[in-house]
Amino acid sequence: MIEIFSNKQDKSVAFFPRSLRMFQINNEMKSLIKLINQGKSSEYICSKLTISKEEYSKLKKTLTDYNTSPKIDPRRIIPENVLKRLSINISNDCNMRCDYCYASFGCYGDKSNLMDISMIKLTLDKFYSLYDEIAILQVFGGEPFLNYEGFKFICEYIHEKYQKGEINFLTQINTVSNGTIMTKKIIRLIKDFKINVTISLDGPKKIHDTNRPFINEQGTFDTIFKNIKKLKKETNQPSQIEVTYNQQHIENDYSVIQLIEYFDQYFKDISLHIAPVSGNKEECFVLKDRQTFIDSVEPLIAKGRKSSYIILDDMLDSLHHPMERDNYCDAGTDLISVSSKGDIYPCYMFIGEKNFSVMNIQDDNFSKETLLKKLQKYKNYSRTTDQNTYCGTCFAVNACTGCIGLNYYNTGDIHRPSKDDCSMRREMLKKIILNV
């Protein structure tokens, strides 16, 4: 089906969901597409629009060709001998108590613990034996820098294996941190091993400190803000700031646009990932609505994307590099996660959820064949063809990325995104189509 979007200025755009192509149309083409979508016969359409059968056939073929799924660029296909991302949870602990934390304050419903060096080494050895290349190693937590020695071992061990020729490609090390622990030795580690760092900061002090306190309930904003400045000066990190947009932003009159402007004052050259908070509707931090994300599209496009955020950028990029998106995300396909105890999950969002643990790194039958067989269901699932999918008939499916972990967290079903998220992304895409 071809979608037609119009604005108040009588601009109409035809959007082709499968190919992600679009073009502005006049009233005659608008009428033709509507009649085709309604399933009217060629005879009826020709009579209604006073066009010949030859003209109709030519127009119909053009529209069909426009909506043909694009060929996948072979450069974007990840070889089977390459793992795009391995996530290792080295710290099942955190020094903060964020109200909206999905990971039970970094413990994932378990006791606090740190992954020991022997388990880290075993995990790295096992996975490097399975794949010719691991593109990205995501060091995760809790707060990963609580396990400094484990983090340091990962960096040194990977570089040692590379220097010895035991691995042919040097894995990029990434981490997500709350930014409260930036000692001299941690900053040196980040600098020496070129670690890509994402730091969580929700914006102005009043908003941030409401939901992201230390264990003793003291605010963390001042510490994090100072550490970002220091880290940026000494290492050019963080590469990204992650913002959990919640009801506190709304109550303090901070729209997404205003939040971007706020960060531009202090950290203009750092990428922003602004995501709506997840949780039960009864929770005080959950958004009443997500209109602010929709309202951000037009002004940011008008600025030429000089100040944007990842959800919007991903949608724009999908239009420039169209492809069919069968999976919501990389979980279980190009991403594998290992807990502090060696349990293997399709994604770190599922750590502690026993039903999603596929095996343990110490299992006697651990092998690539066994692991991939247990993860096969994630690769096989297609949200565009599955009869139970909520995405197959949605015009935004090929421009929309998601997260099966958030799906599970919000709806209890990894294949069912929340209605609020779907509505937000559809409306954002409409705005993009009418303004690019």
Side-chain angles (χ1 to χ4, degrees):
M1 187 171 183
I2 303 167
E3 300 289 334
I4 298 175
F5 301 121
S6 303
N7 61 17
K8 294 178 181 179
Q9 291 73 41
D10 291 328
K11 175 184 177 181
S12 294
V13 176
F15 176 69
F16 300 81
R18 295 190 67 184
S19 66
L20 298 183
R21 300 176 74 176
M22 66 191 83
F23 59 83
Q24 191 168 343
I25 55 175
N26 57 26
N27 289 333
E28 288 75 16
M29 180 59 76
K30 185 176 179 180
S31 298
L32 172 63
I33 293 173
K34 283 185 175 181
L35 291 171
I36 291 174
N37 284 344
Q38 292 168 7
K40 300 297 184 182
S41 66
S42 57
E43 290 79 8
Y44 179 87
I45 295 174
C46 290
S47 174
K48 184 76 174 178
L49 301 181
T50 61
I51 58 175
S52 67
K53 287 187 176 181
E54 290 74 17
E55 289 175 304
Y56 168 78
S57 296
K58 186 176 180 180
L59 289 169
K60 180 73 179 297
K61 184 179 185 305
T62 299
L63 294 173
T64 301
D65 290 343
Y66 259 79
N67 207 24
T68 301
S69 298
K71 293 181 179 179
I72 298 176
D73 186 338
R75 293 172 297 181
R76 303 187 73 183
I77 299 175
I78 299 174
E80 290 187 0
N81 63 338
V82 174
L83 178 60
K84 181 179 176 181
R85 185 161 47 130
L86 172 65
S87 176
I88 302 180
N89 181 21
I90 67 168
S91 172
N92 217 55
D93 196 6
C94 187
N95 59 337
M96 289 174 60
R97 289 297 180 265
C98 304
D99 288 347
Y100 48 66
C101 180
Y102 73 88
S104 303
F105 308 130
C107 298
Y108 297 89
D110 201 352
K111 294 180 180 179
S112 298
N113 65 86
L114 303 179
M115 194 180 215
D116 61 48
I117 301 296
S118 62
M119 182 67 78
I120 293 173
K121 183 178 183 299
L122 179 65
T123 300
L124 292 173
D125 286 342
K126 286 287 186 76
F127 273 93
Y128 276 119
S129 72
L130 301 188
Y131 294 93
D132 292 342
E133 178 184 356
I134 298 174
I136 296 170
L137 178 67
Q138 183 174 20
V139 186
F140 211 69
E143 171 49 48
F145 286 120
L146 286 175
N147 190 356
Y148 169 76
E149 293 300 328
F151 207 137
K152 180 170 175 279
F153 175 81
I154 287 173
C155 297
E156 293 177 342
Y157 191 58
I158 289 175
H159 277 70
E160 179 185 333
K161 291 177 78 69
Y162 178 69
Q163 289 165 358
K164 288 181 176 179
E166 295 175 8
I167 56 175
N168 296 321
F169 303 93
L170 185 59
T171 301
Q172 171 62 51
I173 300 172
N174 295 355
T175 194
V176 180
S177 170
N178 62 33
T180 60
I181 312 170
M182 284 297 155
T183 61
K184 288 183 179 179
K185 63 182 182 180
I186 288 175
I187 291 175
R188 172 57 61 183
L189 188 74
I190 291 169
K191 186 175 182 178
D192 287 350
F193 292 98
K194 297 180 174 59
I195 300 167
N196 278 336
V197 181
T198 294
I199 289 180
S200 300
L201 183 68
D202 281 356
K205 179 180 174 68
K206 181 180 178 181
I207 297 172
H208 175 91
D209 282 347
T210 299
N211 289 323
R212 298 185 65 85
F214 281 116
I215 292 175
N216 63 6
E217 298 185 354
Q218 295 298 307
T220 58
F221 176 88
D222 291 336
T223 300
I224 298 169
F225 192 90
K226 179 185 67 177
N227 283 341
I228 292 176
K229 286 284 190 180
K230 181 169 63 174
L231 188 63
K232 187 67 177 173
K233 181 180 179 180
E234 298 189 33
T235 69
N236 205 34
Q237 291 292 322
S239 58
Q240 184 178 109
I241 291 175
E242 187 171 283
V243 183
T244 302
Y245 192 91
N246 58 78
Q247 192 60 26
Q248 277 297 316
H249 292 92
I250 300 294
E251 292 176 5
N252 284 275
D253 295 321
Y254 252 87
S255 67
V256 167
I257 290 291
Q258 290 169 316
L259 195 57
I260 291 171
E261 291 171 348
Y262 169 81
F263 280 105
D264 277 351
Q265 294 178 52
Y266 306 103
F267 310 115
K268 190 173 181 63
D269 57 344
I270 300 178
S271 170
L272 281 179
H273 178 36
I274 306 174
V277 68
S278 295
N280 297 321
K281 289 287 187 181
E282 295 75 24
E283 301 283 1
C284 62
F285 52 77
V286 173
L287 294 169
K288 302 296 188 290
D289 67 67
R290 303 186 182 192
Q291 187 61 40
T292 183
F293 285 88
I294 300 164
D295 292 341
S296 73
V297 174
E298 287 186 50
L300 288 174
I301 289 178
K303 286 184 179 181
R305 297 179 63 193
K306 292 180 181 178
S307 299
S308 193
Y309 59 101
I310 286 178
I311 292 177
L312 176 57
D313 284 347
D314 281 349
M315 284 189 169
L316 287 163
D317 287 341
S318 71
L319 298 177
H320 290 292
H321 305 97
M323 61 182 291
E324 287 192 327
R325 297 176 183 269
D326 285 336
N327 301 108
Y328 288 99
C329 58
D330 289 341
T333 57
D334 295 317
L335 163 65
I336 298 174
S337 181
V338 183
S339 77
S340 59
K341 293 182 177 179
D343 294 318
I344 300 174
Y345 296 86
C347 171
Y348 47 83
M349 291 285 291
F350 296 110
I351 291 177
E353 297 286 344
K354 299 303 180 184
N355 291 337
F356 290 93
S357 176
V358 295
M359 61 190 314
N360 189 281
I361 198 74
Q362 302 172 93
D363 289 346
D364 292 336
N365 66 336
F366 180 85
S367 67
K368 187 174 183 179
E369 181 182 4
T370 304
L371 178 62
L372 294 183
K373 185 176 181 180
K374 290 178 178 290
L375 292 169
Q376 191 66 36
K377 62 181 179 181
Y378 298 100
K379 187 173 184 178
N380 288 347
Y381 181 80
S382 171
R383 60 179 178 157
T384 59
T385 59
D386 192 289
Q387 292 182 350
N388 297 317
T389 185
Y390 291 78
C391 303
T393 58
C394 178
F395 70 86
V397 63
N398 286 330
C400 172
T401 56
C403 170
I404 64 172
L406 286 178
N407 288 353
Y408 183 72
Y409 186 64
N410 288 324
T411 69
D413 182 348
I414 64 173
H415 300 314
R416 181 184 178 186
S418 74
K419 292 181 179 178
D420 288 342
D421 196 53
C422 289
S423 178
M424 177 192 78
R425 290 174 183 271
R426 281 195 294 265
E427 292 304 313
M428 286 180 70
L429 183 57
K430 287 181 185 178
K431 292 275 190 180
I432 292 171
I433 291 167
L434 287 167
N435 286 280
V436 292

